[in-house]
């Protein structure tokens, strides 16, 4: 069984990179087009696998060409696909993504088969969830499915990591079962009502999430890094300077790398530092999964920027 189980969406990303994101009613020409695998769930599973983690993906694709391609792709990334289900007549989820010259994006999702991802699917993957060291999920599939899976993980061994993306409000009954929550500034606002724009407001939102039942809140701030808030300590990990071309999938890279670090028994702030660096590196290339680093790439990057010494032990023994 895999050390990490990921439940979530699987999409085909249709991406246009252009000088700027059009305003309502406007057409901007001169962009370049790319089709690439995506979906927050699949992205997070691939992020784990690139680093050498064993990971099982739980989700749904359609019985169409995109579905065939995405399953093959997950297989080639060494993700366990035994729990990727396919419904006759379902369409695979698609994301339309616009990226501007600074790497900022907007994303529109047609959920397709994600919406059919059900409690029954979770039941079929019960063993993979309860025997994992870390269970990781997000919010691009029905909330009832997420809640069911989190309840299974909560009653078993795994550490429960929730990336509450896309942004929405969540019941306390779910948050109480979450060990580690990883919202960005907008998601933190939806969950807490606190407008997050800097380290101070991120810490405030993190503390409120603790009061709502989570054990650790990691509020990500893009270029400003991440704050790690727990009952014992509050730490700010500075952002990592890179030349960003596309932020798509950076949050997913963060979550996958975090899950990998936690499954390998790193302390929370070490796993967060690893994730912080992996996410920064992922913004230097176009696409979500294409941009995710291998363990060797991350190791070399963290040696070159001096962050490797913040990990308790080397990522790779040389
Ligand atoms: O987090 C990025 C992902 O969000 C994209 O790959 C897209 O598919 C959407 O789900």
């Amino acid at each position: 069984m895999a050390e990490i189980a990921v439940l979530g969406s699987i999409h085909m990303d249709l991406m246009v990179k252009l000088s700027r994101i059009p305003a309502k009613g406007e057409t901007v020409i001169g962009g370049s087009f790319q089709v690439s695998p995506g979906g927050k769930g699949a992205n997070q599973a691939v992020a784990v696998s690139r680093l050498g983690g064993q990971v099982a993906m739980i989700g749904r694709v359609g019985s169409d060409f995109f579905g065939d391609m995405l399953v093959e792709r997950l297989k080639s990334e060494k993700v366990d696909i035994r729990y990727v289900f396919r419904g006759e007549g379902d369409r695979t989820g698609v994301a339309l993504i616009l990226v501007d010259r600074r790497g900022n994006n907007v994303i529109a999702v047609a959920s397709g088969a994600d919406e059919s991802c059900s409690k029954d699917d979770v039941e079929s993957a019960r063993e993979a969830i309860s025997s994992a060291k870390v269970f990781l999920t997000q919010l691009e599939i029905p909330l009832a499915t997420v809640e069911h899976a989190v309840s299974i993980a909560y009653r078993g061994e795994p550490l429960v990591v929730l990336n509450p993306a896309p942004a929405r409000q969540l019941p306390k009954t779910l948050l109480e079962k979450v060990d580690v929550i990883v919202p960005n500034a907008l998601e933190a606002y939806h969950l807490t009502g606190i407008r997050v724009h800097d380290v101070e407001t991120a810490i405030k939102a993190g503390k409120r999430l603790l009061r709502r039942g989570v054990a650790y809140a990691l509020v990500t701030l893009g270029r400003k890094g991440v704050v790690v808030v727990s009952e014992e300590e509050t730490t700010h990990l500075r952002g990592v300077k890179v030349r960003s071309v596309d932020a798509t999938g950076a949050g997913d890279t963060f979550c996958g790398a975090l899950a990998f670090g936690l499954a390998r028994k790193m302390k929370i702030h070490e796993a967060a530092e690893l994730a912080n660096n992996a996410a920064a590196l992922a913004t230097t290339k176009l696409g979500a999964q294409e941009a995710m680093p291998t363990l060797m790439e991350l190791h070399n990057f963290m040696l070159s920027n001096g962050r490797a010494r913040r990990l308790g032990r080397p990522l790779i023994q040389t």
Side-chain angles (χ1 to χ4, degrees), residues 9-15 36-44 93-97 105 107-109 114 140 163 165-166 247-253 287-289 292:
S9 54
I10 306 172
H11 299 156
M12 192 58 92
D13 288 351
L14 309 182
M15 179 182 284
S36 47
K40 293 184 195 304
N43 292 347
Q44 295 180 12
V94 168
L96 298 182
I97 305 179
N105 63 27
I107 304 181
V109 173
D114 290 344
E140 284 187 322
N163 172 218
T248 310
D252 300 329
T253 307
Q289 295 176 21
M292 290 170 174

Side-chain angles (χ1 to χ4, degrees), residues 88-102:
E88 206 39 58
D90 273 355
R91 308 299 297 254
T92 299
V94 168
L96 298 182
I97 305 179
L98 302 180
V99 182
D100 73 12
R101 66 170 168 272
R102 291 199 177 82

Side-chain angles (χ1 to χ4, degrees), residues 24-46:
K24 209 187 275 182
E26 187 191 17
T27 302
V28 175
I29 61 167
S32 59
F33 178 61
Q34 180 173 311
V35 180
S36 47
K40 293 184 195 304
N43 292 347
Q44 295 180 12
V46 169

Side-chain angles (χ1 to χ4, degrees), residues 294-305:
T294 62
L295 193 65
M296 184 57 89
E297 286 166 346
L298 186 53
H299 172 74
N300 289 337
F301 180 64
M302 292 184 74
L303 282 179
S304 71
N305 67 14

